[in-house]
Every structure is written in C-alpha cells, then in structure tokens.
Amino acid sequence: MSGNPQVPAPRAGTAPHGACVLLKHGEIFLKGRNRHLFTERLHDNLRIALRGIGGSTWIKTAQNVTVVGGQVPQDALVERARRVIGFNSVEPALRVPSTLEEITRTAVAELRAAGAERPGLGFAVRARRRDKQFPLTSSQVAGHLGAEVLRAVPGLRVDLTRPEVTLSVEIDRKETYLSWRRHRGLTGLPVGSSGRALALLSGGYDSPVAAHRAMRRGLHCDFVHFSGAPYTNPASVYKAYALARELNRYQPPGRLHVIALGKAQKQLAVAGAGRLQVVAQRRLMVRTASALAARTGAEALVTGDSLGQVASQTLANLAAVDEAAALPVLRPLIGWEKQEIIDEAGRVGTAEISVLPDEDCCRLLAPPRASTRAGLPQLRAVERRLDLDEVTAALLESARVMLPGADPDADPGPDNPGPEATAPGCPAPAPA
C-alpha cells in the first residue's frame, strides 16, 4: 500500500449517505441467464424479513451485491438480513459519495476509532473498483488509503498477511461502500426458488434441522406434526408450534398442520402390527402427508431421518417407508451423526426447544423391540386389515392448521396465506 497518486477533484452532485448493510450474493452468482429470477426471489424474501422492523427501509442492487438501509438501527438490519437464506456474507457498512476525498476521510475516521480501542492494530485495505471510470485503479486506491491512514493515525501498522481489521472498499459509479466487519451468511438458494415441500416435524433435534437444510436448498416448507392425541398430552403440539415459529424466521411463514394419530396407531396395534408397529405408523404418516401435500401444492416430503440412527431408520425400513409415499422423500441428514445434528440445531436456534420434554407419538404403542428389517409383504398384510383410504381421509379431516410467526399485517399471498391462526403463543387450532 505505497505510492501517492494525485487526488482527483470531487465529483459533483454527490452527498453523504451514512450507514447501510452490504449483502454479498451466494450461489445465485452461478445461475447464468436465470439469475434475475433468483435475485428477485431473494429480494422478496428480504422484504418479508424486514417487515415490522420499526421504520422505513430501502433495497438496492449492485453487481452480485444487495445493499439495504433505512431509518432503523444498523444492528437491526444486520439481525434481519442474517436470517435470509442466499447471502454469503452480511457486512455493516458506510455508504459515501464516490470521491477519493470522501472515501479517504471515512477510511481514516473509522480506522482511527478502531485503533483507539486496540493500540498497535494491524490493518489491511482491500479495494474493488466496480466503476472502471474511477480515476485510480483498485491497487492505487488501496495504496493511497493505507498511506493516508498511517500518516493520520500513529501507532497503526500494515499487516497484509493476518490483519486484525480488513477495510473493504467497493467503488460504484455514484457511491462507495466501506466495511470492516463481516458476518457469515446462510448461503444456499433463496427460499422458494426450488419449489414447495412438506416437512414432517417432530419435537426432536433432527426434523427441524432437516427442514432448515431443505430451505437452504431453495424449498419453501410447510410443516406437518403427528401427535399421539387423544392418548398423549398436548406438549408435543406446543413444541412443534414453537419449532415452526423459529423455522419461519428463515422463510415466508409456512403453515403448520397438526394431525392426531393416536387412534390410527391403536388401529395398527389391534391389526397385529407387533414388531412392525413403528414402521407401519411411519408408512401411515408419509401416506397421509402425501395426501396433505397434494392439497398444499408441495412436491416433496422432508424428514429428519439419519441412516442407522434408530431401528426405524435402517436402509430396509427407510425403503419400506418410501414405498408408501406418493412423493419423493428427501432426507437432508441421511449421513449426519447425532452430535452434528445437535450442533446444527444450536446454530439454527431450535435446540433449546427440542430439548424440552414431551410425549412423542412414535413411542406410543411401540414394541419393546422394533423390527430392523420390516418386510413389505408383512406390512401390507397388516394394512389390509384396515381401510387405509378411510383412515387417511379421517386423519386429514381432523387436521388443524396454524401459521406460527406470521405477520398479521402482511398482505395475503401464495407464500403468506394470512394470519388466520396466528397468536403470540400456541393458538387454538383452526380447522384446515
């Protein structure tokens, strides 16, 4: 960062702008001719995330970058933006006119403030000239700013290898963005860009993490929770509602469908399921979820299965469950270890909910030893003793729908159907 290029005269017609947040695009950068469709979806999701923030906001697009600002605290913008899937990084920044004078003044002021807190601070400047008509090259800008900072702030030092602070300078035609703090984004594809899915949501660690991973691949998720009612208490429903509310912070709010499975589980037990009980009820769940997906427009089911984690998740049993589904069954966690899932749940924000006690319907009427290799002929024999169409229809008829975390002031739409069952806590379910 050496050299003293002649400082050009300030450009006319510019004025200071102030704080904003730079959002660097992730995977959509690779999307070629369809990139604008992914960008539009990403910005729609960002607008939804900014609703109710407490002030007016604006969104601007630059080359593979989105800039957001408004009459709200910068920290609030950062917190909302960090939950929008599709950005690689979230960077609090200052937006100034694209003159070397303003860029230099801001760079010196900010690094002076950083140096006052940490004497002897090592810093680097990385400049990117998006506007090729700017009079200095990127390396010249970096050299000039580094030299000016060293001259104006004694005690700082240049460290290009492992700087404690990296000042990023991105120069557009009318305005320049300076940032020195970076938060990792959620990356992935914008929610909704890959279609819709129905996630089977239990009260454990696995299924919420699986739903979140599906969202990061662009799926907008609705949720279905099977409770053991009337033979279990409502604790699992409260947990499912809380989990769906947390997950809905990452997407336009999805519906939560609650289905009481207890009576149907008892019917399977009476029909002689025995050691096949767990797999038989899992087959009933995906059969019912497939029918529900046909009503909601979902194109796939998402489950939290991890290969070999429990008896019902052996390869043979997973294949038996798939055979009952009318849609693809996606298993984002199929190769994950339990501790990996728990750690991810902590990052997503669902771990503290999942650890709460409840009565899981999967343990209702479960045999002492479940079959690890359920055969389809035996499962079908049990199911023939029931009228599965009638059982499935009754389960769907009893379904209740909620909208955890929906904005009651939002306009209804395909991704935000309205707040008809929204409440601060777990609401009284409304008929589907």
Side-chain angles (χ1 to χ4, degrees):
M1 292 187 291
S2 61
N4 288 300
Q6 185 176 358
V7 178
R11 300 183 184 183
T14 57
H17 296 285
C20 63
V21 180
L22 275 181
L23 307 173
K24 301 295 182 64
H25 293 183
E27 198 171 333
I28 64 173
F29 172 71
L30 305 172
K31 292 301 178 182
R33 294 181 180 179
N34 292 327
R35 189 186 308 168
H36 70 283
L37 299 176
F38 289 86
T39 302
E40 289 172 6
R41 174 69 70 166
L42 185 60
H43 287 176
D44 286 344
N45 293 344
L46 178 59
R47 291 186 188 96
I48 292 171
L50 293 174
R51 285 175 180 165
I53 198 171
S56 63
T57 58
W58 50 262
I59 297 172
K60 179 180 178 181
T61 305
Q63 184 181 3
N64 297 319
V65 171
T66 294
V67 188
V68 61
Q71 297 177 341
V72 293
Q74 190 181 53
D75 288 347
L77 293 172
V78 169
E79 192 275 332
R80 296 294 183 97
R82 290 185 70 183
R83 287 187 169 269
V84 179
I85 292 170
F87 294 117
N88 265 2
S89 65
V90 178
E91 304 179 12
L94 288 177
R95 188 169 63 122
V96 302
S98 286
T99 69
L100 194 58
E101 180 183 48
E102 285 293 333
I103 297 170
T104 302
R105 182 188 63 79
T106 304
V108 169
E110 295 307 320
L111 286 175
R112 177 182 287 119
E117 297 178 0
R118 288 181 286 176
L121 180 76
F123 76 97
V125 178
R126 314 292 188 200
R128 182 178 182 183
R129 186 183 62 159
R130 298 182 189 276
D131 175 20
K132 301 306 180 185
Q133 295 183 357
F134 191 81
L136 304 181
T137 66
S138 297
S139 59
Q140 286 176 327
V141 171
H144 169 74
L145 294 179
E148 289 298 307
V149 168
L150 287 175
R151 183 184 63 79
V153 190
L156 295 189
R157 58 186 177 82
V158 174
D159 186 344
L160 299 181
T161 305
R162 292 184 177 179
E164 296 171 79
V165 171
T166 299
L167 178 66
S168 174
V169 181
E170 303 196 20
I171 303 171
D172 277 339
R173 188 172 66 87
K174 293 184 178 180
E175 52 202 17
T176 293
Y177 307 97
L178 294 89
S179 62
W180 52 96
R181 290 182 291 144
R182 291 162 188 82
H183 302 283
R184 180 176 174 83
L186 288 173
T187 65
L189 297 174
V191 173
S193 61
S194 297
R196 301 183 72 93
L198 183 62
L200 278 67
L201 191 64
S202 71
Y205 290 105
D206 304 350
S207 59
V209 173
H212 186 260
R213 299 302 299 189
M215 292 175 194
R216 291 180 64 178
R217 298 315 305 155
L219 287 171
H220 182 271
C221 289
D222 290 311
F223 311 99
V224 58
H225 173 72
F226 292 94
S227 78
Y231 305 117
T232 57
N233 65 39
S236 73
V237 178
Y238 282 85
K239 282 183 67 176
Y241 181 88
L243 290 167
R245 181 173 55 188
E246 187 65 30
L247 291 169
N248 275 342
R249 297 176 68 183
Y250 297 97
Q251 66 167 10
R255 295 175 181 266
L256 169 64
H257 302 265
V258 177
I259 297 177
L261 194 67
K263 290 183 179 179
Q265 290 177 272
K266 189 172 183 179
Q267 288 177 283
L268 287 170
V270 171
R275 291 185 62 189
L276 303 176
Q277 177 75 25
V278 175
V279 178
Q281 64 194 31
R282 291 282 292 174
R283 280 170 59 87
L284 182 57
M285 287 179 188
V286 299
R287 192 187 303 274
T288 305
S290 297
L292 179 59
R295 297 184 179 185
T296 64
E299 301 167 274
L301 306 179
V302 177
T303 76
D305 296 321
S306 172
L307 186 61
Q309 187 179 116
V310 294
S312 64
Q313 295 173 13
T314 63
L315 191 59
N317 286 350
L318 293 177
V321 170
D322 282 358
E323 196 271 342
L327 296 173
V329 180
L330 307 181
R331 297 182 171 92
L333 309 184
I334 193 68
W336 288 40
E337 296 179 1
K338 191 65 177 184
Q339 191 59 50
E340 292 177 305
I341 297 170
I342 294 173
D343 292 343
E344 182 72 0
R347 289 186 286 268
V348 171
T350 57
E352 291 184 358
I353 303 169
S354 295
V355 76
L356 297 173
D358 71 319
E359 290 188 304
D360 183 2
C361 78
C362 291
R363 291 193 290 268
L364 180 65
L365 302 174
R369 293 184 60 191
S371 172
T372 59
R373 193 173 184 83
L376 284 176
Q378 293 86 353
L379 286 166
R380 288 170 181 157
V382 172
E383 292 169 346
R384 279 195 297 269
R385 296 168 195 152
L386 307 176
D387 187 334
L388 282 182
D389 291 338
E390 183 178 313
V391 172
T392 302
L395 290 172
L396 290 177
E397 184 65 26
S398 70
R400 298 293 183 265
V401 63
M402 307 173 189
L403 269 178
D407 181 357
D409 298 322
D411 294 330
D415 289 334
N416 184 34
E420 64 268 25
T422 302
C426 183

